[in-house]
Amino acid sequence: MAHRRFPPSTEFNHREMRRRIFGESSREVGRTLSDLGDLLHTRGDLAAAEAYLRSALAVHVNVGGDGSDDAARAQRDLGNVLRDRGALAEAESLYRRSLRVSRQSLGPVDPIVALTQSELALLLVETGDHEEAEELLLENLSTYERLYPGGHPMVGTTMRNLGVLRLRQRRPAEAAEALHQALEIYRQTLSETSALIPRAVRYLAEAELAVGDADRAAASAEEVVVRLRAMGLARHPAVARALHTLSSARLAQGRPAEAAALLEEARAARAIAAAPADGSDSDR
C-alpha cells in the first residue's frame, strides 16, 4: 500500500498529524497552532505568528470557550505578537482577558499569572501607564521570591522590564542598574546562547546612550545585532531597534554618515520583521 508523502516540514507534519487524529477543531490542534505561533514569534516572523495564534485562539474558544486556560494562553501569546507589531490597544485587551481568566483559574501566586502580568506591564510601560506597570512588576518580584527562592530567568525578565520602565521614566542610571541585574540573573540561569541575553543588552544600550556614554552604547547595540543574526534571528524586531540605537550612538560619536546608513538599515530590518518570511501574505 502506497503511503502519502508530506512536505519535509516538521511543523506541517505535527499539525497535520494532530488534525487527522483529533479533528480540525480540538484542544490538541489548538495547542499545536499556539506552539507554532510562539515559535515563529521567537524567530521574528510576526505576520505568520499572528496568523497561527489567531487560528489557535479561534479553535480554543470554539472548543472550551473564551474563559478556558488554553484560550488565555493564546490570548497572551497573540498579545505579545501584536505588542511587537505596534497594535497596542488590541494587545492590551488580550492581556487583560488572559490575566482575568488565569487569576480566576490559578490564583494570584502562580507563574502563569506572573508571566501574563509581566507582558502586560511591558505594554503599559510603552503606553505610558507607568504606575500600574510598576505595581505589576513589583508584585511579580514578590511572587517569584516565593516560587523560586533559588533564582529563575523570569526574575531576570522582571528586572529587565523594570529597567525599561526606568528608561521611559527618564531615569537612565537606575535603568542601567536594573538591566545589569537582569543580565546577571540571565547568565546565572540560562545558556549564553539564549536570545533573552542580547534582547536585554539592547535596552542596556538605550540606557548607556541616555546617560551620555555613546561609545559603550554603540558597542552594546552592535553586540545585539551580531548575536541575534548569528542565532538566525535577523527578522526579530530587536535587530531593527538595536540598529536604530546604534545609529543614534554613531550620531552622538560625530559619525553622521554611518548614522544615516544605519538608520536606513534599521528601517529595512523593521520592514522585514513585519512581513511574512516568504514575502507574501500568510494564511497560516
Side-chain angles (χ1 to χ4, degrees):
M1 175 178 166
H3 293 282
R4 182 179 177 185
R5 294 179 61 84
F6 291 98
S9 165
T10 302
E11 295 172 3
F12 177 88
N13 287 340
H14 194 191
R15 185 174 39 143
E16 285 302 305
M17 179 179 68
R18 289 204 160 193
R19 279 180 169 160
R20 287 171 179 270
I21 294 172
F22 299 108
E24 186 72 23
S25 187
S26 67
R27 290 180 66 191
E28 291 76 14
V29 168
R31 287 175 177 178
T32 299
L33 291 168
S34 286
D35 289 343
L36 293 176
D38 195 35
L39 175 63
L40 288 163
H41 182 207
T42 301
R43 292 177 180 175
D45 191 347
L46 301 185
E50 180 182 345
Y52 269 122
L53 289 166
R54 287 193 186 280
S55 295
L57 180 56
V59 169
H60 288 311
V61 169
N62 184 53
V63 171
D66 192 59
S68 70
D69 290 340
D70 286 319
R73 178 210 165 175
Q75 287 161 354
R76 184 191 67 238
D77 291 348
L78 178 57
N80 292 344
V81 174
L82 294 175
R83 184 187 62 205
D84 281 351
R85 297 198 80 182
L88 302 185
E90 185 180 0
E92 181 176 350
S93 175
L94 287 164
Y95 284 142
R96 292 194 185 280
R97 285 159 57 194
S98 176
L99 186 56
R100 182 172 60 252
V101 170
S102 296
R103 281 175 173 164
Q104 289 173 348
S105 174
L106 303 169
V109 182
D110 181 87
I112 298 300
V113 172
L115 174 60
T116 308
Q117 289 188 172
S118 185
E119 302 293 6
L120 173 59
L122 190 57
L123 180 142
L124 294 173
V125 168
E126 299 303 333
T127 59
D129 191 346
H130 295 167
E131 183 176 351
E132 184 181 0
E134 185 157 5
E135 288 175 2
L136 291 171
L137 292 172
L138 293 178
E139 183 180 334
N140 273 9
L141 284 178
S142 177
T143 295
Y144 289 133
E145 284 175 5
R146 294 173 62 180
L147 292 174
Y148 308 114
H152 193 276
M154 280 306 301
V155 179
T157 296
T158 303
M159 292 305 301
R160 182 201 69 187
N161 291 351
L162 275 172
V164 180
L165 172 62
R166 299 297 179 235
L167 268 173
R168 302 301 178 252
Q169 291 173 323
R170 302 185 185 277
R171 296 156 64 178
E174 293 175 57
E177 182 180 356
L179 289 162
H180 279 298
Q181 290 182 49
L183 285 165
E184 183 177 351
I185 294 166
Y186 279 155
R187 288 178 172 130
Q188 289 172 351
T189 58
L190 296 170
S191 163
E192 275 292 327
T193 60
S194 171
L196 287 173
I197 293 174
R199 287 164 63 185
V201 172
R202 180 184 73 79
Y203 289 116
L204 180 59
E206 284 190 42
E208 290 165 340
L209 186 60
V211 298
D213 194 341
D215 293 342
R216 186 166 291 181
S220 295
E222 206 161 23
E223 176 191 344
V224 174
V225 174
V226 170
R227 290 187 65 172
L228 288 178
R229 284 175 171 169
M231 292 176 183
L233 299 175
R235 293 174 58 83
H236 199 282
V239 173
R241 292 165 185 156
L243 286 166
H244 193 279
T245 302
L246 181 55
S247 171
S248 298
R250 292 291 185 234
L251 189 61
Q253 289 174 317
R255 297 155 69 173
E258 290 180 52
L262 285 162
L263 189 59
E264 286 305 311
E265 192 176 350
R267 288 172 178 160
R270 190 175 295 111
I272 291 171
D278 63 0
S280 64
D281 289 336
S282 173
D283 60 356
R284 296 182 295 175

